[in-house]
Amino acid sequence: TVQVDVYCKVDDMVRFVARGCAAAASSSSSTSGKEEEKKDGNENVQKAVTDVSEVVHSVVSGMKPKLQDQCDALLEKSKAKIGQQPITATSIAICKAAASLGDVECFTHIRSLIKDDGKEPSFKMPKPMVQLIRGGAYGCNLEFAEVLVYPVSGKSFQAQLRLCARLHNELGNIIAAKFGEGFRAGCPSGGYSPPLADLSEALKLVNEAATAAGLDSWNEVCLAVNGGNWEGNGYVMKPKDKAKGLDEAIQFYVALMKDNPGLKALINPLNSLVDDAAAGEGWNKLAATLSEDEDLKANTYMLISESDGEEQIKTVAKVTAASVSLKLENSVTVTEAINLAVDMMESKLDVTVTTEGGEGTSDTFVADFAVGVGARFAKFGGLLGSQNVDKYNRLLQIEAALS
């Protein structure tokens, strides 16, 4: 994580105005990279300090924070020299500084960077999408990345988050009773990691928790499954299982949804829409199968692609019932992230703003960003750990400010 402080000249005095933090982009968080970071930690920390205090300082010193696009354009030119993290942290800090100097909320300033026509902007709160189970790590051997809950009712964000918290808490009780109190602590991304390898077993736990929480009618909350990042020519749904082809994978999801009426959203269910040129056909086939199945066609389902980028937006726009997520860590600057969000909305795609959860930072800028760009969902991890909870709490603060 890189932290950058911005100082501005105010009333002829230089004072601290804002702070921005940035974690490594997910694409760069490989095992070998982490080992190298641990090995050369001192050198890397000192380099980051030098990059910010010398390179970044020389680039943006004297610029006006309200000129976000100009500041970001200058910062982008230094990416090859110093990498992404210092630039992202600086860009976030500049955005916060402009909001502070303008005496407006950060989400309001972000909206003005998209559209500033002099009119009072209107805002809509995103719905929370909360991680329940984290797979593939921390003792949980699921081949799937996440099981999540999101609200379908609740007039306010506060009421919606309370519904998600009820299910999250009951799931913690059930997991602790079945596997021991140690598993109640969860993992850094805020979800639980029970020692399971079968997605059906994980969903069985969630269904038990829903019954205990009085949410098993599934008219207040729904579930989502995140397939993670499928690679290669097949889909391994359980460890040591034979890889499934496209048609088998689609039938797997159909059966999963029939067995779990609360499951209404699939995130990255098939190969990446960017990495696999033919993946769009598979996604469309999955959407058509869900809409045509006699037992499922009465329901509304979401397919969400989680790798953002301009090429992905064009591809997702061609997929039936698909929407897209925007991970702030994957954008170099605030301007780039805003432009991506605008492109998504102009392509009539629902936007889910997401972050690395516990593997990211405690900086709550992403919450303001989600409100500022008009995201439909905010996916900030589970409800364990301050690095996750702080972001949801910031959304509660924003809702209070708007009311």
Side-chain angles (χ1 to χ4, degrees), residues 54-347:
E54 295 182 7
V55 180
V56 171
H57 180 270
S58 67
V59 169
V60 296
S61 180
M63 293 289 292
K64 294 183 182 298
K66 66 180 181 180
L67 302 176
Q68 184 79 43
D69 56 344
Q70 295 181 29
C71 292
D72 286 347
L74 292 173
L75 287 168
E76 282 266 17
K77 295 178 180 178
S78 301
K79 181 184 176 184
K81 184 176 182 180
I82 64 175
Q84 177 176 332
Q85 282 178 272
I87 293 173
T88 305
T90 304
S91 181
I92 289 172
I94 288 172
C95 189
K96 289 181 175 181
S100 178
L101 293 173
D103 197 26
V104 296
E105 293 278 7
C106 191
F107 63 87
T108 302
H109 174 63
I110 291 169
R111 178 62 62 84
S112 73
L113 296 175
I114 300 174
K115 182 179 181 181
D116 188 6
D117 55 9
K119 298 179 181 179
E120 187 71 22
S122 60
F123 296 94
K124 186 177 181 180
M125 294 298 296
K127 293 178 180 291
M129 186 173 278
V130 176
Q131 184 184 95
L132 296 173
I133 293 177
R134 166 69 187 274
Y138 309 106
C140 184
N141 295 318
L142 293 178
E143 292 290 342
F144 293 79
E146 299 173 292
V147 177
L148 307 106
V149 60
Y150 63 94
V152 292
S153 67
K155 293 183 179 180
S156 67
F157 177 82
Q158 182 184 50
Q160 294 170 355
L161 187 62
R162 187 179 294 119
L163 290 171
C164 296
R166 273 169 54 190
L167 183 56
H168 196 279
N169 292 339
E170 287 296 344
L171 180 61
N173 293 335
I174 288 172
I175 287 174
K178 287 183 180 290
F179 304 108
E181 280 294 328
F183 286 94
R184 190 195 294 273
C187 59
S189 59
Y192 302 103
S193 289
L196 298 172
D198 189 330
L199 181 60
S200 295
E201 290 298 313
L203 288 170
K204 183 178 178 181
L205 290 180
V206 175
N207 283 316
E208 287 181 34
T211 300
L215 296 170
D216 53 340
S217 64
W218 302 113
N219 57 11
E220 294 180 285
V221 297
C222 287
L223 302 178
V225 166
N226 186 348
N229 294 304
W230 299 109
E231 296 177 357
N233 298 318
Y235 303 93
V236 178
M237 303 308 190
K238 288 193 294 185
K240 299 181 181 180
D241 267 12
K242 182 181 177 181
K244 297 179 183 296
L246 174 62
D247 290 341
E248 288 180 296
I250 289 175
Q251 290 309 312
F252 171 87
Y253 287 121
V254 169
L256 195 69
M257 288 180 152
K258 287 182 178 181
D259 291 340
N260 297 275
L263 180 57
K264 299 292 177 63
L266 299 175
I267 304 171
N268 298 333
L270 302 172
N271 283 343
S272 168
L273 286 168
V274 175
D275 300 334
D276 185 347
E281 295 179 13
W283 282 60
N284 271 321
K285 189 171 184 179
L286 173 59
T289 303
L290 293 176
S291 64
E292 294 168 3
D293 187 277
E294 287 296 324
D295 297 322
L296 300 176
K297 63 182 181 181
N299 298 316
T300 300
Y301 297 100
M302 290 191 300
L303 302 180
I304 302 174
S305 179
E306 204 171 34
S307 55
D308 48 58
E310 291 182 10
E311 289 303 313
Q312 181 223 21
I313 294 170
K314 296 175 185 176
T315 308
V316 177
K318 299 175 183 177
V319 175
T320 305
S323 59
V324 67
S325 75
L326 193 160
K327 184 174 287 187
L328 198 60
E329 292 95 332
N330 289 352
S331 296
V332 179
T333 64
V334 172
T335 299
E336 179 185 333
I338 287 174
N339 289 340
L340 277 173
V342 171
D343 287 346
M344 292 170 183
M345 288 183 286
E346 288 180 348
S347 297

